[in-house]
Every structure is written in C-alpha cells, then in structure tokens.
C-alpha cells in the first residue's frame, strides 16, 4: 500500500491542470494507512484506540459497497438543536474523503474565496478602497438547498470514478450537508461534518469563477496619475480648460469603474465603484446566475445595496468607507470615499460578554457576574478559560480601529467577573482576595496593579500568570 502523504501529494500535483481527470480514487479507501492517518488527525488528543479489526471490517464493507454512513438527524432540546454524534467509522471515512478532495481542489479555489474570516476581512480592508456601493450577498438556506445532482455533476468534471461518486451520494443522502451552520466572526468554524466546508466550496467555486469573469468584463478605465494626487475640486474646472489629460468628476465616473468580490462560506460581498444603476444590474445578474446555474436563491430582503456613506455588517464586523476630507468638493459634486474602516460592533461585544456570563444588563447598565460553573476548577484552570475566551475575541477583532477603546471598557467588567468567580470559589470578598498571600509572602492574586493567579510550576517555583489584557 502506498504512503497516504505521497498519494495526496501526487493528487495535488495535477490540481492546477483543469483538463486532468482523476481516476481510481476509491481504492485509497482500501488502504489501512489512510485510516491511521485519519485517526491520528481526529483522535490525536483522545483516548480512543486505533482498532485495526474495525478498520479491516470497514474496508471490506467499502469494497462490496455495503457501507452506508449513519444519517445525521437533529434532536430537539428545550434550549438548542444539536447534531447527532458521528460514529467512529463515519468520522474516519469522511476524513479520508475530505483529504482527497482538498488535495484535488484546494489549490484551484479562487483567491477571493476564504476558509479564514480574518484573511477575508484583511482583503476587504486592503482592496475595497473607494467603493461607492455595497452588495451584501445572502444565499437563502444555502446548506439546505444545495442541489445534490448539481454537486455530483460538478465533482464529475474532475473525478471519473463512479464508486467514489456513489459514496459521495451516500453522504449527501445521509444529511451531511443539511442543517449545517457556520458560526460567523471569531467562532468561524463549520458546525457539522468535516465534508461540509470542502463540498460547499466546490459548489460555490462556480460562483467565484463567474464573478471573476464578470469583474474582468465590468472593470473599465485606469486611474489618472493627476487624479491620484487628489487635486482640489476647484482646480478641476480650471485644468480641464487648458489640459485634456485631466478629467472632471463626471468624466472620471464615466471612464473608470471597478468591481470587488469576496466570499466566506455562503456569504459574499461585492463592492462597486460605479453607479447605483450598475450595482442593481450586477445584483440582478448574480441572482439569475445562482438561480439558473446553481439552483440557489438569493434572499432579496437581506441582499441589500448600500451606499458607501452607510456602514454594512459582514462577518460580524461593521464596515464603512471613511470620507476623504482632502477630496471634498465645493462645486456641489459628491466627495469621494477613501479608506475602508473596520469597527467592532457594540451589540457583538455585548453579546460576547453576556454569552460568556461575564455580565448581565440591569437598567441598561453592564453589571459583572461570577460564573458558578467554574467554581469547581482550580485557580489556573479558571484563569486559562477567561484568558482563552478574551484573547480569541481580541485576536479576531484586532483589525477594528476602535478595538482598544471598546475592549478597554469591556475589560473592566471582564476583570470583575474573574475576581468575583475566584471570590465565590473561596467564599470571600474581592478586597480580601486582593491581599491573600502565598507561602513566600508574595501576593497570590494581585501584583503590581494586575490581577492573575500564582501557581507552583514543575520546578517548584512560584509563577504569576496575569489575566489577559491587550496592553500586556
């Protein structure tokens, strides 16, 4: 049997050749080493043991095509709906399929399609400068409405292995793409099977390719070097009388237009440097393409066209175009937009603080809370949970211009929640906690104006770990 890494590397070498068709993929599912590789990825930090007997039985079922993945059904709960736990065998098989599909497709996906929210956000900030109109794309119940036959047809473009495609049909019929939801923002991960992300991208890769061709056709003109210097509006009227190299604002709008596009999962964003009529036309064409070619429907109410003066919400960031003060016009024409600004929304921050039980809102004011569910953990574990939650949130929103201001205010509540939780654990007051000392006489929880936890490391030394603060 061939080494799985070598097999995947071989598949990857042909991925950029659109004419290349992959054959005999299914036989990789007869290779026990592929299952060991999948097991290592899934169960690396768990106690489940790799069972060669179970794998051999599974391989035999795959050979005679008697294997069927267990259906993913949602069970109702009073508070939430959760996916049924996948079986050991299903996890291994779908991980192998994912690795094969990723080797085939990952390198050919569009540069405007992203698995990582932060990369998408950075691209918007870098490349959407000067946008006049936003089109926020919202595909109605995307994962529930993926057409299985269309997906198989798209896979068949690159894969000529009917056994492999029949296995894909089994996973689709078992519901591995239905009721899958992506958490947006700093929780940006697909909720469900590992196949959901790669198959969604295979499906929407067609939209990405359509948009790239659309942009090539739409884009027109080149920026004048003189315009790039941001010549004041009153100088335009003078210069156009003596020089044909300078354009008026109206001529600039007619001779220059651009379209920007980016996608994460089933959400996409289009930026138009052009007229509102052109933005409406773009939205109409994208709607038609999705309906006719991919059997998908845009939610017309949520897919809005927004002027650059108004902010939009995308991937849990507020995004807007800053006014370019140096381009304000005295001739009555509209000033040009400038750089893209990213903002941490107040409601997103508030939701984060409430969801993690740092606080509650009383009479419109934030009030810190202790967290009873953490009281049975040791001090370092409590600190680690607080730090991991807050750091992850900060890392995602660090591109927002107001992140220091917003998280600076929230950190006060965050720190009080931590203090109250420790005080609750030891049934004491926060002020007494502040003065508690270790055996060496050092303060245990509060040093040099910073809250944290002192613990004994492997070298039997006292180590102070501070509560996370972006300023540290």
């Amino acid at each position: 049997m061939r080494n799985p890494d070598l097999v995947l590397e071989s598949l990857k070498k042909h991925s950029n050749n659109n004419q290349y068709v992959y054959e005999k993929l299914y036989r990789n599912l007869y290779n026990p080493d592929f299952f060991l590789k999948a097991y290592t990825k899934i169960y690396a930090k768990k106690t489940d043991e790799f069972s060669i007997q179970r794998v051999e039985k599974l391989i035999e079922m795959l050979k005679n095509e008697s294997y069927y993945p267990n259906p993913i059904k949602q069970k109702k709960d009073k508070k939430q709906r959760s996916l049924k736990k996948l079986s050991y065998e299903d996890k291994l098989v779908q991980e192998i399929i994912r690795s094969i599909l990723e080797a085939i497709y990952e390198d050919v996906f569009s540069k405007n399609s992203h698995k990582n929210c932060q990369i998408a956000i950075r691209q918007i900030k870098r490349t959407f400068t000067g946008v006049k109109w936003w089109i926020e794309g919202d595909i109605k119940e995307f994962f529930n409405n993926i057409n299985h036959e269309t997906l198989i047809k798209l896979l068949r473009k690159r894969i000529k292995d009917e056994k492999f495609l029949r296995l894909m049909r089994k996973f689709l019929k078992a519901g591995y793409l239905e009721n899958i939801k992506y958490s947006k923002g700093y929780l940006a991960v697909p909720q469900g099977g590992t196949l959901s992300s790669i198959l969604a991208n295979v499906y929407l890769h067609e939209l990405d390719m359509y948009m790239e061709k659309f942009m090539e056709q739409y884009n027109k003109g080149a920026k004048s070097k003189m315009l790039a210097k941001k010549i004041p509006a009153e100088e335009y009227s003078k210069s156009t009388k003596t020089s044909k190299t300078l354009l008026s604002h109206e001529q600039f709008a007619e001779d220059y237009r651009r379209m920007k596009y980016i996608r994460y999962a089933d959400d996409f964003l289009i930026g138009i440097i052009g007229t509102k009529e052109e933005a409406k036309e773009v939205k109409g064409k994208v709607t038609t393409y999705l309906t006719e070619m991919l059997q998908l429907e845009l939610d017309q109410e949520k897919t809005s066209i927004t002027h650059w003066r108004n902010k939009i919400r995308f991937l849990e960031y507020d995004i807007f175009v800053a006014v370019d003060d140096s381009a304000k016009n005295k001739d009555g024409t509209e000033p040009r937009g400038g750089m893209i600004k990213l903002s941490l929304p107040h409601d997103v921050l508030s939701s984060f603080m409430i969801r993690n039980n740092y606080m509650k809102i009383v009479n419109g004011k934030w009030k810190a809370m202790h967290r009873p569910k953490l009281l049975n953990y040791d001090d370092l574990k409590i600190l680690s949970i607080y730090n991991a939650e807050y750091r992850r949130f900060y890392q995602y929103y660090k591109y927002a211009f107001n992140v220091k201001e917003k998280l600076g205010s929230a950190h006060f509540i965050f720190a009080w929640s931590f203090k109250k939780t420790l005080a609750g654990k030891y049934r004491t007051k926060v002020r007494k906690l502040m003065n508690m000392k270790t055996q060496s006489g050092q303060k245990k929880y509060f040093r040099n104006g910073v809250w944290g936890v002192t613990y004994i490391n492997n070298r039997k030394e006292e180590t102070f770990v501070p509560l996370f603060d972006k300023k540290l």
Side-chain angles (χ1 to χ4, degrees):
M1 294 291 184
R2 293 181 63 191
N3 182 293
D5 292 328
L6 295 179
V7 173
L8 296 175
E9 188 62 34
S10 177
L11 297 176
K12 197 171 184 179
K13 286 180 181 178
H14 300 288
S15 63
N16 285 309
N17 180 0
N18 291 328
Q19 304 303 315
Y20 188 85
V21 178
Y22 292 89
E23 300 179 347
K24 300 179 180 179
L25 295 176
Y26 193 78
R27 65 182 181 182
N28 291 304
L29 292 157
Y30 305 158
N31 186 346
D33 289 342
F34 256 105
F35 286 91
L36 179 59
K37 180 179 176 64
Y39 167 85
T40 303
K41 180 177 176 61
I42 298 170
Y43 295 102
K45 297 181 180 180
K46 298 182 181 179
T47 58
D48 303 61
E49 294 184 2
F50 181 73
S51 171
I52 189 62
Q53 290 79 14
R54 290 179 72 174
V55 167
E56 288 175 347
K57 183 178 179 181
L58 178 57
I59 289 174
E60 189 59 35
M61 293 174 67
L62 287 163
K63 285 181 178 180
N64 60 35
E65 296 190 78
S66 62
Y67 164 77
Y68 285 86
N70 292 321
I72 295 182
K73 294 181 179 179
Q74 289 190 323
K75 57 182 180 180
K76 292 186 178 181
D77 197 309
K78 290 182 179 179
K79 295 184 178 180
Q80 64 181 2
R81 294 167 66 85
S82 59
L83 291 172
K84 182 179 178 180
K85 187 177 180 181
L86 305 182
S87 72
Y88 176 89
E89 288 77 9
D90 293 344
K91 286 181 180 180
L92 294 181
V93 173
Q94 72 162 331
E95 172 56 28
I96 295 172
I97 295 173
R98 184 207 58 79
S99 66
I100 291 172
L101 292 177
E102 190 172 272
I104 294 172
Y105 289 101
E106 197 71 20
D107 287 348
V108 300
F109 286 149
S110 169
K111 63 182 180 180
N112 298 312
S113 164
H114 299 286
K115 294 191 299 183
N116 184 294
C117 282
Q118 286 185 301
I119 295 175
I121 288 295
R122 291 202 299 268
Q123 184 174 329
I124 292 170
K125 182 176 176 62
R126 187 179 67 253
T127 65
F128 278 60
T129 301
V131 161
K132 303 288 281 185
W133 300 95
W134 300 100
I135 304 173
E136 306 165 65
D138 190 292
I139 299 174
K140 186 178 292 186
E141 297 184 354
F142 169 65
F143 286 99
N144 288 340
N145 291 322
I146 289 180
N147 185 284
H148 293 179
E149 293 306 316
T150 300
L151 179 55
I152 294 297
K153 183 179 179 181
L154 294 175
L155 290 170
R156 193 173 272 123
K157 286 183 178 181
R158 300 298 306 271
I159 298 172
K160 188 178 180 181
D161 184 336
E162 290 305 315
K163 268 194 171 184
F164 187 85
L165 294 176
R166 283 198 293 271
L167 179 60
M168 294 305 307
R169 284 183 187 275
K170 291 178 181 179
F171 274 99
L172 293 175
K173 289 181 178 179
Y176 278 65
L177 273 179
E178 296 172 4
N179 299 310
I180 303 298
K181 294 184 178 180
Y182 271 73
S183 296
K184 302 302 194 300
Y186 78 104
L187 292 174
V189 291
Q191 304 297 310
T194 60
L195 281 176
S196 60
S197 179
I198 186 70
L199 290 177
N201 277 324
V202 169
Y203 203 87
L204 289 177
H205 178 63
E206 301 301 305
L207 172 63
D208 299 336
M209 294 297 97
Y210 171 77
M211 289 304 302
E212 288 190 6
K213 292 179 181 178
F214 198 167
M215 285 188 284
E216 289 178 7
Q217 297 168 357
Y218 180 87
N219 293 347
K220 172 184 173 184
K223 287 184 177 180
S224 164
K225 292 181 180 179
M226 299 299 287
L227 281 172
K229 293 180 180 179
K230 300 176 182 176
I231 296 175
E234 60 269 18
E235 294 185 21
Y236 276 98
S237 58
K238 297 177 183 178
S239 61
T240 50
K241 294 177 181 178
T242 57
S243 173
K244 294 183 179 180
T245 61
L246 289 174
L247 302 174
S248 69
H249 287 281
E250 291 78 9
Q251 288 173 315
F252 179 76
E254 291 175 0
D255 294 345
Y256 178 81
R257 66 183 190 185
R258 286 290 186 273
M259 186 193 304
K260 310 289 185 178
Y261 165 79
I262 198 165
R263 179 178 65 81
Y264 169 77
D266 56 329
D267 285 344
F268 63 88
L269 183 66
I270 300 172
I272 299 293
I273 302 177
T275 66
K276 185 174 184 179
E277 288 68 29
E278 289 171 338
K280 289 180 178 178
E281 184 180 356
V282 170
K283 178 184 174 183
K285 288 184 176 180
V286 172
T287 299
T288 300
Y289 176 81
L290 286 170
T291 302
E292 295 182 353
M293 303 304 295
L294 296 178
Q295 289 75 53
L296 295 173
E297 182 181 354
L298 272 185
D299 189 321
Q300 294 300 322
E301 292 185 3
K302 294 181 180 179
T303 305
S304 57
I305 297 176
T306 306
H307 189 262
W308 68 271
R309 283 185 173 278
N310 301 314
K311 65 183 179 182
I312 62 168
R313 180 72 58 87
F314 189 69
L315 300 182
E316 297 302 307
Y317 265 91
D318 276 347
I319 304 174
F320 62 95
V321 183
V323 176
D324 186 351
D325 292 329
S326 64
K328 286 184 178 180
N329 310 321
K330 296 180 180 180
D331 58 1
T333 58
E334 186 179 70
R336 293 195 301 276
M339 295 178 59
I340 297 295
K341 301 282 279 186
L342 306 173
S343 173
L344 167 55
H346 178 79
D347 62 300
V348 171
L349 175 58
S350 177
S351 176
F352 164 73
M353 299 289 286
I354 293 172
R355 184 170 59 251
N356 287 306
N357 296 311
Y358 303 147
M359 69 170 204
K360 59 183 176 180
I361 299 178
V362 180
N363 296 325
K365 295 182 178 181
W366 290 10
K367 184 177 180 180
M369 299 168 53
H370 79 289
R371 298 170 70 177
K373 291 184 178 180
L374 303 185
L375 298 183
N376 292 327
Y377 293 131
D378 62 50
D379 294 351
L380 189 60
K381 178 69 173 179
I382 293 172
L383 178 73
S384 299
I385 291 172
Y386 270 87
N387 281 355
E389 292 167 348
Y390 210 75
R391 182 181 290 109
R392 188 178 184 187
F393 189 81
Y394 169 70
Q395 286 297 325
Y396 183 73
Y397 287 102
K398 65 184 179 182
Y399 302 107
F401 77 93
N402 59 350
V403 66
K404 290 184 178 179
E405 174 191 351
K406 290 287 185 70
L407 284 185
S409 300
H411 192 273
F412 177 80
I413 299 294
F414 168 73
W416 263 102
S417 174
F418 169 72
K419 290 181 279 186
K420 284 190 170 187
T421 299
L422 279 181
K425 176 180 173 66
Y426 293 106
R427 299 176 182 272
T428 186
K429 300 290 185 180
V430 170
R431 65 175 180 274
K432 292 184 178 180
L433 199 69
M434 182 184 294
N435 294 317
M436 282 187 181
K437 294 185 178 181
T438 65
Q439 291 182 349
S440 67
Q442 294 284 340
K443 285 193 174 182
K444 191 172 184 179
Y445 299 111
F446 186 73
R447 296 188 186 185
N448 301 319
V450 176
W451 282 90
V453 165
T454 302
Y455 77 103
I456 306 300
N457 62 26
N458 294 332
R459 296 189 297 274
K460 307 300 181 182
E461 300 170 339
E462 288 185 358
T463 301
F464 182 77
V465 181
L467 184 67
F468 176 76
D469 189 329
K470 63 187 182 306
K471 295 180 291 187
L472 294 176

